[in-house]
Amino acid sequence: MASSSTFLRFWLTERPRDTLLSFVSKEDLPAFRLACHDFSVRAAPLLFKEINIDFCASTFTKPARMAALDRIGHHTSTLTFTMAHTPETFLPPLLDPTTGEEVTFIYEPYTQTSRDSASRLSNPTYGSWEMTDLLVKQYSPLFHAAANVPSFIRAFSSLRNLKHLNISCPGQEATQRYRRSIVDYVLISIRIAVERSNLASLDTLSLVSIHPGATLYLNPVMGFGALPNSVKTWKRIENLTICMDSIPFTPYPPSDHLKLLHSYLQLFASSVTDFVFRWQGVKGLSPLSLDKEVCLQKSSPDMACPRRCYLALLPLKFEKLRNMEVENLVVDASQISSFITAHRHTIRDFNFEDTHLRSGDWDQALTPLTRISGSEKWKEKAEEVMDVPLLLDPVGLEEKRVNEALVDYFNCKPRPSRPSIGAWQKAGSRSRELFGGTPEHFRRFLRTSVFSWR
């Protein structure tokens, strides 16, 4: 039939077909694939481009599930891996069944991927047969699934075209920050799997809602089961986003987690071009200037390694950084100034959201911009932040009353002496004139907008 041949020509043309599939919702794609075999093949890359995994005890151990991942894994470019902190992820101390005393468990990942059952049974999974027996009896199946590194390696090996890895571990209580949980063993297994799966396309890493201790288990330099070439894998990361549970800013904040964060960021110093960092909760110290914090430079007898605490942290410098955004910080103006100066040859855009200056002002913080540009014209492009009343369609109000309300508002509300710089963005001169001018300017702005103001 003519109609069938017309559709066939349309369907076999790549660009129109992909345009059509882009408008099909992800909820409808599974039903769309059931129509015929060719529909199933063509829609699979779009349906499985992004997949989400909520880790449980059987995520990577069911043969049918792993076989399905082998079939669709090459379509996946974005993986979101989630494991929340729950009472099930809490690990109690190991106890000797005879004496009742606590047993020390030194974890060494078992990474042997041999499929020979005799080979697997000939070596204990957790160092010794006694420790293996103790862990099997006292820890839940979720722990053993988290420590099953070979299953993680097999799963990530199926995702050979993975470009973006998103890891989320929300829900850790502050009281549990110095206790290792099942979530930490999952992070170890993920790191080892990524390093041994040859993910050549991986260039974006997002750590969203993670706890401060996560950087210890994701760092290949000091991580469990790391190999000499482990760092090479993470050197491919160009886009790094971290959203971390806040470490409250106090005169003497805990320095161990901050030092772990500093060491972890050093790992990406030579490759990252886009960097985003946010503290969740109360404001925290700037992760870009931890080497200048006094609390991280003084030794204390309470620290685990007091002999090494006097060693100064190396300054953090991203060699290829172009775009940077940090949020919810407490920082000195001098620290911002030093960071901009150190990255002046590469950085193009930086954004300080919800940032409180502990000392100095924003003029001092952004002084390098004047030296770099050779003038102060950049200040003309800074956006002034103020509250502007929007009267949405004031039907029935007399123009005189509208004018009086606007005049009273602007006369009573003092204008800031300096721009409030939360984010330095470009703003057109016409928009600044209208928002910062007289009521007549404001009415002209409403009349010339895309909405129907009356």
Side-chain angles (χ1 to χ4, degrees):
M1 295 178 62
S3 60
S4 299
S5 61
T6 302
F7 176 77
L8 186 60
R9 288 196 302 271
F10 165 81
W11 184 252
L12 295 179
T13 307
E14 182 178 0
R15 187 172 181 179
R17 181 187 66 241
D18 293 345
T19 302
L20 172 64
L21 290 176
S22 66
F23 285 95
V24 181
S25 65
K26 196 169 184 178
E27 293 75 14
D28 295 333
L29 281 175
F32 182 83
R33 296 182 69 227
L34 296 176
C36 69
H37 178 267
D38 194 66
F39 280 16
S40 176
V41 173
R42 304 293 185 182
L46 191 63
L47 179 60
F48 302 114
K49 182 179 181 180
E50 300 179 4
I51 62 175
N52 301 323
I53 296 178
D54 293 324
F55 187 78
C56 63
S58 60
T59 298
F60 293 145
T61 54
K62 285 189 175 181
R65 185 172 297 175
M66 297 305 297
L69 187 60
D70 289 337
R71 293 194 300 269
I72 68 172
H74 63 282
H75 298 305
T76 302
S77 61
T78 301
L79 169 64
T80 300
F81 191 102
T82 304
M83 186 176 186
H85 292 264
T86 63
E88 288 73 22
T89 62
F90 174 79
L91 290 177
L94 281 175
L95 300 178
D96 186 288
T98 304
T99 64
E101 296 180 354
E102 183 176 352
V103 178
T104 301
F105 172 44
I106 301 176
Y107 179 59
E108 182 177 352
Y110 181 82
T111 59
Q112 185 175 350
T113 57
S114 174
R115 297 189 178 184
D116 184 7
S117 59
S119 176
R120 291 200 307 268
L121 295 176
S122 61
N123 298 316
T125 305
Y126 302 107
S128 66
W129 291 113
E130 293 77 9
M131 181 59 66
T132 300
D133 181 67
L134 199 62
L135 290 170
V136 169
K137 292 180 179 178
Q138 297 191 23
Y139 280 175
S140 67
L142 184 60
F143 165 79
H144 301 287
N148 189 355
V149 179
S151 67
F152 279 80
I153 296 177
R154 180 187 174 188
F156 277 83
S157 297
S158 303
L159 310 175
R160 54 183 177 271
N161 295 320
L162 185 66
K163 296 181 180 179
H164 182 187
L165 176 59
N166 188 349
I167 303 175
S168 179
C169 306
Q172 187 189 53
E173 298 180 2
T175 56
Q176 301 297 324
R177 285 185 176 173
Y178 290 92
R179 292 191 61 90
R180 189 178 300 169
S181 69
I182 294 179
V183 176
D184 298 321
Y185 288 94
V186 169
L187 295 178
I188 295 173
S189 299
I190 290 177
R191 179 184 56 75
I192 296 176
V194 170
E195 294 167 359
R196 305 194 182 189
S197 299
N198 191 25
L199 303 177
S201 300
L202 183 63
D203 62 1
T204 303
L205 176 63
S206 298
L207 306 178
V208 182
S209 298
I210 64 167
H211 51 290
T215 54
L216 170 63
Y217 307 104
L218 292 173
N219 193 334
V221 177
M222 59 183 69
F224 299 86
L227 297 177
N229 62 344
S230 295
V231 177
K232 183 179 179 180
T233 302
W234 302 104
K235 293 289 186 180
R236 303 191 188 109
I237 299 299
E238 298 179 358
N239 307 292
L240 178 63
T241 299
I242 300 178
C243 187
M244 181 177 289
D245 293 340
S246 179
I247 301 175
F249 170 68
T250 60
Y252 299 97
S255 61
D256 42 8
H257 285 147
L258 293 174
K259 288 185 176 181
L260 290 174
L261 173 61
H262 182 82
S263 175
Y264 185 67
L265 294 180
Q266 287 280 11
L267 176 66
F268 306 97
S270 62
S271 60
V272 164
T273 60
D274 296 81
F275 176 66
V276 178
F277 186 93
R278 296 182 181 89
W279 287 114
Q280 289 188 140
V282 300
K283 296 182 186 299
L285 298 175
S286 171
L288 306 174
S289 308
L290 293 177
D291 59 294
K292 295 179 174 59
E293 294 293 340
V294 178
C295 62
L296 299 181
Q297 298 175 354
K298 294 183 177 181
S299 60
S300 171
D302 297 332
M303 296 181 180
C305 301
R307 293 185 179 181
R308 294 182 56 86
C309 290
Y310 68 90
L311 297 178
L313 298 179
L314 296 177
L316 184 62
K317 183 178 180 180
F318 296 102
E319 299 176 3
K320 302 178 182 179
L321 184 65
R322 292 197 302 264
N323 304 297
M324 181 275 294
E325 178 180 345
V326 291
E327 184 175 346
N328 203 24
L329 306 182
V330 175
V331 65
D332 296 330
S334 59
Q335 294 177 349
I336 296 179
S337 178
S338 300
F339 179 83
I340 296 175
T341 302
H343 296 82
R344 63 187 183 278
H345 297 298
T346 60
I347 197 166
R348 294 294 177 266
D349 183 26
F350 54 90
N351 189 359
F352 293 91
E353 286 284 353
D354 194 16
T355 299
H356 172 70
L357 292 182
R358 184 171 45 185
S359 64
D361 55 30
W362 283 105
D363 280 343
Q364 298 174 359
L366 302 176
T367 298
L369 296 183
T370 301
R371 295 198 299 265
I372 295 171
S373 62
S375 66
E376 296 187 353
K377 290 184 177 181
W378 61 269
K379 293 184 179 181
E380 300 176 1
K381 299 180 180 181
E383 177 185 359
E384 291 193 9
V385 180
M386 65 179 67
D387 295 329
V388 179
L390 293 180
L391 302 179
L392 303 179
D393 197 10
V395 178
L397 292 180
E398 298 178 1
E399 184 176 0
K400 181 179 180 181
R401 294 181 58 188
V402 175
N403 292 342
E404 292 176 353
L406 291 173
V407 171
D408 291 342
Y409 178 84
F410 283 109
N411 288 340
C412 295
K413 186 174 182 62
R415 292 174 59 86
S417 58
R418 297 299 304 170
S420 176
I421 308 171
W424 285 84
Q425 302 173 348
K426 295 182 179 179
S429 59
R430 179 173 178 272
S431 299
R432 291 198 303 274
E433 176 187 357
L434 293 177
F435 278 107
T438 64
E440 179 61 24
H441 289 158
F442 189 75
R443 288 201 305 275
R444 283 196 288 112
F445 176 81
L446 296 181
R447 283 199 297 267
T448 57
S449 67
V450 296
F451 300 102
S452 177
W453 303 95
R454 289 181 286 172

